[in-house]
Amino acid sequence: MILQSLRDTSVVLKMAYRLDKHALWSTALAALTGAAVPFIPVLISAYTLDALTNGQGFSRILTLVLASLAALFVLRLLESLSVKIRDVHVEVCTRKFNMELSRKNLLMDYELLESPRVTALKNRIRNDDNWGAGFYSVFWSLSNVLNCLFRLAAAFALFAPLLSAGTLLTRWTGPVLLTAILAASLLAAVAKTAWTDRKLYGIMQESAAKKTYFGYFVNGDRTNTGGKDVRIYGGASLIWSYVLTDQGWSEGWKKRFARTSGMGGLMLGFASGAAEGLAYVLVVLQAAAGAFGIGAVLKYAAAIYQFSNGLSSLVDAWGQLSIAALRQKHKLEYLDVPDVLVKGTLPVEKRNDNEYEIGFRNVSFRYPGSEDYALRNITLTLNIGTRMAVVGLNGSGKTTFIKLLCRLYDPTDGEITLNGIDIRKYDYAEYMSLLSVVFQDFRLFSFSLGQNVAAGVEYDSSKVESCVAEVGLWERYTAMEKGAESILYKDFDDSGIEISGGEAQKIALARALYKDAPFIILDEPTAALDPIAEYEIYSQFNTIVGDKTTIYISHRLSSCRFCDLILVFHKGQIVQQGCHDVLLRDGEGQYAGLWNVQAQYYVEEPVAG
């Protein structure tokens, strides 16, 4: 276990060095100066006593004291400066590390984001951070370890003469006692690191991973997201009653934690007591032999205290560093998760006429970790300029079909082609440039309106205005004082503009137009609207897109009556396809059944009498 601890720590420190090597050097410098400071007063006192004992003059003693105070001042100054430098570089290094995690999350294959492995990793990372300070704790613990090592080195340098001083009778005691001190401390270090600290980590992980009411309502922020219901129905007392009776921190768990933690304290006490006790035996023996004077006694006693205290502190600090490194292990594993989608190299042919054809060839798909197929044996061709609707009940496979088309996932079986070539052979970014998609759960960001429409830092203002006007948002746009530079929402700017849900939908549609891709897909972005409003938006958008190939997804059949082709999905398969009138004539078909069920809610019953 001690070797594993060394490996874990080494990997994390290498990562820190790669991100900002100055963070490690400044941490070492701060630890060195901090470790040297306590020894200056000891040396001042010891040398002053020796000078007085030997009858040296006042000027000699004053010179010695002033020189020592000057050294102490310089060390304090260096310590303060190095700590400030360390703090800056540690902050930079930690932010870079967190940025790498965020970048990984942004660029990782979408399929992995929903995979059981990555979900489990994210949960473990969250559990690790729930009871630690993240990457910061590595530097804090490293600083303590280095401080202890430097203290030990300085203390040993001070009392090293003690090991060979004295009579022939007492000289052998030094090496023997020092060996005993080091052996006791090493034993405690191995036992504490390999057993106590890692066992404590496991106990804390167990508690963090357990589903508890405390974690659900307090750490999970459910009292905020459900705040309206809590206040309307007076649910605070109900929630609090569960939090107070939470069994996540059971008596058995608390006993195991206390027992393990207590054992760690016992080991530290053993190391400290053994080191200090044995060392003082050596001092007594050597002093009794007349090996040194009163100043040396003070110096050696202080050095022994620093050495024994440093040993026990080192054992504890190393345990903390090994656990801090262990808590970063899941993050490093997350950064090393390899992508799974095949990334081809073929360029996509650039065509002004949008003559692109996409085909599904006996495509089946099941999500990672699932044994059930979400899609089965899908075969179809998306012809140029087609207006196609995808309809069906919730869970019928509509959105999965779009995820495959957008290469968020690759098929489990079969292939999807672009102009007859498997899309996995194309350069991923170039293939994605062919698609504009507005998902049901689309997101706008707290950036400028222009950046939201362009999905980029730079944008063409005139093109933004044109797209905004086409989706029916011109009147709202002209009311914005800063136009395309207007910031949406107030997350980062108090002058940000709050927009309604309907306005957000139109901005998302404008974003799809701005990209000017040959394929446009609307995956129920208007599901929150009533059927009439949805139909109006779809019909308007159908006029705007011109000759582009467009796919509309909805569980409301009336919204897609204008489409050339309607695909009816049911249990992961295409059970019908055709235009609205043709499908409706098949009275026994899935489409007609769904149509009749939905239509009855919009047909007014005649008024009697």
Side-chain angles (χ1 to χ4, degrees):
M1 293 295 288
I2 195 70
L3 292 178
Q4 183 61 51
S5 177
L6 286 169
R7 282 193 291 268
D8 292 342
T9 304
S10 174
V11 169
V12 172
L13 293 182
K14 285 179 181 178
M15 166 64 77
Y17 187 82
R18 181 177 68 80
L19 294 173
D20 188 342
K21 61 183 179 183
H22 300 296
L24 294 183
W25 291 122
S26 58
T27 298
L29 180 60
L32 175 60
T33 53
V37 165
F39 291 94
I40 300 299
V42 172
L43 293 175
I44 292 176
S45 301
Y47 291 143
T48 301
L49 283 174
D50 280 340
L52 290 172
T53 302
N54 297 328
Q56 295 183 8
F58 176 77
S59 60
R60 169 67 177 169
I61 295 174
L62 181 61
T63 301
L64 183 63
V65 170
L66 290 177
S68 300
L69 290 176
L72 180 62
F73 175 78
V74 171
L75 277 177
R76 285 290 190 190
L77 190 63
L78 286 174
E79 180 189 21
S80 179
L81 180 61
S82 59
V83 165
K84 295 301 181 184
I85 295 173
R86 177 200 67 188
D87 290 346
V88 170
H89 284 291
V90 167
E91 183 69 26
V92 169
C93 186
T94 301
R95 292 196 177 197
K96 284 183 177 180
F97 184 63
N98 291 333
M99 287 172 65
E100 289 214 0
L101 290 171
S102 298
R103 182 174 175 80
K104 180 69 174 182
N105 198 49
L106 286 172
L107 300 181
M108 178 184 287
D109 286 344
Y110 184 83
E111 175 179 338
L112 290 170
L113 290 179
E114 296 185 335
S115 69
R117 177 192 175 187
V118 170
T119 300
L121 266 179
K122 286 185 174 181
N123 287 335
R124 288 197 291 270
I125 290 171
R126 192 178 301 112
N127 293 340
D128 283 334
D129 287 345
N130 277 343
W131 59 286
F135 209 57
Y136 291 103
S137 60
V138 173
F139 289 99
W140 295 341
S141 302
L142 176 64
S143 181
N144 291 334
V145 168
L146 293 176
N147 182 276
C148 292
L149 287 173
F150 292 140
R151 257 200 298 160
L152 286 172
F156 182 78
L158 282 182
F159 75 72
L162 181 64
L163 300 178
S164 59
T167 65
L168 184 62
L169 177 65
T170 58
R171 284 175 187 165
W172 64 271
T173 60
V176 172
L177 290 177
L178 182 62
T179 302
I181 291 169
L182 295 176
S185 300
L186 180 61
L187 178 63
V190 172
K192 187 174 185 298
T193 301
W195 187 77
T196 304
D197 289 331
R198 294 212 166 216
K199 191 169 183 180
L200 278 175
Y201 173 78
I203 293 173
M204 291 299 295
Q205 274 282 351
E206 173 191 321
S207 173
K210 183 176 290 185
K211 295 180 180 179
T212 65
Y213 293 116
F214 182 88
Y216 181 78
F217 288 116
V218 179
N219 296 334
D221 202 27
R222 292 301 186 277
T223 53
N224 180 39
T225 54
K228 297 187 290 294
D229 298 284
V230 169
R231 285 154 181 78
I232 293 296
Y233 295 102
S237 59
L238 171 64
I239 293 172
W240 199 244
S241 68
Y242 277 95
V243 172
L244 291 177
T245 58
D246 197 329
Q247 296 301 308
W249 296 62
S250 64
E251 289 299 319
W253 183 91
K254 287 185 285 188
K255 287 180 180 178
R256 284 192 296 125
F257 185 86
R259 184 168 57 248
T260 305
S261 182
M263 183 60 68
L266 180 63
M267 291 175 180
L268 281 179
F270 172 76
S272 179
E276 195 165 356
L278 292 172
Y280 276 120
V281 168
L282 177 59
V283 172
V284 171
L285 289 174
Q286 301 289 38
F292 40 74
I294 188 171
V297 170
L298 176 62
K299 180 180 68 173
Y300 291 145
I304 287 169
Y305 172 78
Q306 289 290 341
F307 189 81
S308 61
N309 182 264
L311 274 176
S312 61
S313 297
L314 177 61
V315 171
D316 187 50
W318 172 256
Q320 294 298 323
L321 176 59
S322 66
I323 294 303
L326 185 61
R327 290 207 299 266
Q328 311 313 310
K329 187 175 182 179
H330 296 127
K331 295 177 184 177
L332 297 179
E333 186 180 345
Y334 181 76
L335 290 174
D336 288 338
V337 171
D339 285 337
V340 293
L341 291 181
V342 177
K343 306 290 173 61
T345 57
L346 288 180
V348 172
E349 182 183 7
K350 306 299 186 293
R351 303 185 63 99
N352 294 327
D353 57 6
N354 288 337
E355 290 290 319
Y356 299 104
E357 180 181 271
I358 291 181
F360 279 65
R361 305 288 180 258
N362 201 30
V363 170
S364 296
F365 176 76
R366 59 185 177 191
Y367 286 97
S370 174
E371 296 182 358
D372 299 324
Y373 279 87
L375 288 179
R376 283 186 179 276
N377 305 321
I378 303 298
T379 297
L380 62 94
T381 299
L382 302 181
N383 295 316
I384 312 306
T386 299
R387 301 290 196 274
M388 187 176 76
V390 178
V391 301
L393 297 172
N394 289 334
S396 60
K398 304 187 300 295
T399 296
T400 301
F401 169 73
I402 296 303
K403 287 179 178 178
L404 293 178
L405 176 61
C406 297
R407 282 220 69 194
L408 298 178
Y409 291 89
D410 279 337
T412 305
D413 302 301
E415 67 175 8
I416 303 171
T417 61
L418 172 66
N419 291 347
I421 299 174
D422 192 323
I423 61 174
R424 286 173 287 200
K425 295 181 180 180
Y426 286 106
D427 178 87
Y428 183 78
E430 290 206 14
Y431 176 78
M432 296 298 282
S433 70
L434 301 178
L435 305 169
S436 286
V437 188
V438 184
F439 291 102
Q440 180 177 341
D441 55 350
F442 68 86
R443 288 289 182 271
L444 300 181
F445 307 104
S446 295
F447 306 139
S448 71
L449 172 64
Q451 289 173 335
N452 270 280
V453 172
V457 178
E458 305 296 333
Y459 56 87
D460 183 335
S461 296
S462 60
K463 188 175 179 181
V464 168
E465 291 181 352
S466 175
C467 293
V468 166
E470 285 188 298
V471 298
L473 200 62
W474 182 251
E475 184 177 348
R476 180 71 172 94
Y477 177 80
T478 55
M480 299 178 184
E481 292 184 5
K482 297 181 180 179
E485 290 294 316
S486 300
I487 301 298
L488 302 186
Y489 311 116
K490 299 181 182 295
D491 299 86
F492 307 118
D493 191 334
D494 291 337
S495 64
I497 298 173
E498 294 295 335
I499 56 176
S500 68
E503 290 168 343
Q505 288 166 344
K506 290 180 179 180
I507 293 173
L509 293 173
R511 181 161 60 191
L513 291 178
Y514 186 97
K515 188 176 181 181
D516 196 26
F519 293 89
I520 297 182
I521 303 166
L522 303 188
D523 185 7
E524 298 192 87
T526 56
L529 301 181
D530 62 76
I532 295 176
E534 182 185 81
Y535 176 75
E536 290 175 349
I537 289 178
Y538 273 25
S539 298
Q540 178 187 6
F541 198 77
N542 185 57
T543 302
I544 294 171
V545 296
D547 62 351
K548 299 179 185 297
T549 302
T550 313
I551 302 174
Y552 300 89
I553 302 175
S554 179
H555 62 278
R556 295 164 175 164
L557 279 60
S558 60
S559 298
C560 307
R561 286 179 297 173
F562 55 80
C563 289
D564 308 314
L565 175 66
I566 297 174
L567 302 180
V568 184
F569 277 73
H570 184 66
K571 294 183 179 180
Q573 294 182 300
I574 299 176
V575 294
Q576 285 182 288
Q577 55 181 305
C579 66
H580 170 74
D581 293 334
V582 170
L583 293 176
L584 204 56
R585 283 199 292 268
D586 183 4
E588 301 299 322
Q590 180 83 8
Y591 185 85
L594 291 173
W595 175 267
N596 292 328
V597 169
Q598 293 184 13
Q600 65 179 316
Y601 295 106
Y602 307 106
V603 178
E604 294 186 4
E605 295 290 339
V607 180

